[in-house]
Amino acid sequence: MTVIKSEAYRYSECGLDNVFLYGITQSRCTECGEEVVTIPNIKGLHLAIGRSLVCKEEMLTGNEARFLRKELRMKSKDTAAALSMKPETYSRWE
C-alpha cells in the first residue's frame, strides 16, 4: 500500500461533483490500484458542505437539494410538503 496525502480526493460519494478534499489520508494498493480513503470527521464535513450550500447566492442544483434533503433525513414527499409544492414538482426539480 502506498499512502498519499498530497493529492486532492474527489468526494463523489456525497452525490456532488464539485467536492474535493485536501490533506486526507488515501491509501492505494500498488498491485491492484484499489483505494481506501480515511475521512476523520465525516459528520463535520457534511455539516460544512451543507452550510456552504445554504449560504450560496446561486440557486441550488438538483444534486445539492438532494444532498441537503438526505442530510436532513427527509423523504422527497415530505420535503415537497414543507416547500408547499406537489411531490412530482419537487421530484423533477431535484
Side-chain angles (χ1 to χ4, degrees):
M1 289 289 242
T2 303
V3 176
I4 307 159
K5 274 198 166 187
S6 59
E7 290 182 17
Y9 176 73
R10 183 174 178 218
Y11 184 46
S12 58
E13 294 90 339
C14 69
L16 302 172
D17 297 330
N18 58 348
V19 177
F20 293 87
L21 307 178
Y22 297 89
I24 62 166
T25 302
Q26 303 174 63
S27 302
R28 185 175 300 138
C29 178
T30 53
E31 293 180 16
C32 69
E34 183 178 347
E35 293 185 9
V36 176
V37 178
T38 304
I39 301 173
N41 183 4
I42 200 157
K43 287 184 180 183
L45 172 61
H46 282 217
L47 181 61
I49 293 170
R51 283 182 179 162
S52 175
L53 292 176
V54 298
C55 291
K56 73 180 226 170
E57 294 182 14
E58 301 86 21
M59 287 184 60
L60 293 174
T61 66
N63 287 340
E64 292 168 342
R66 185 177 304 111
F67 174 86
L68 292 172
R69 177 180 60 79
K70 286 183 175 184
E71 284 301 304
L72 292 170
R73 295 184 177 100
M74 292 180 73
K75 295 180 181 180
S76 62
K77 68 176 185 175
D78 297 330
T79 304
L83 296 171
S84 300
M85 63 173 58
K86 293 180 181 179
E88 301 82 22
T89 303
Y90 179 77
S91 178
R92 282 192 301 272
W93 187 60
E94 190 176 276

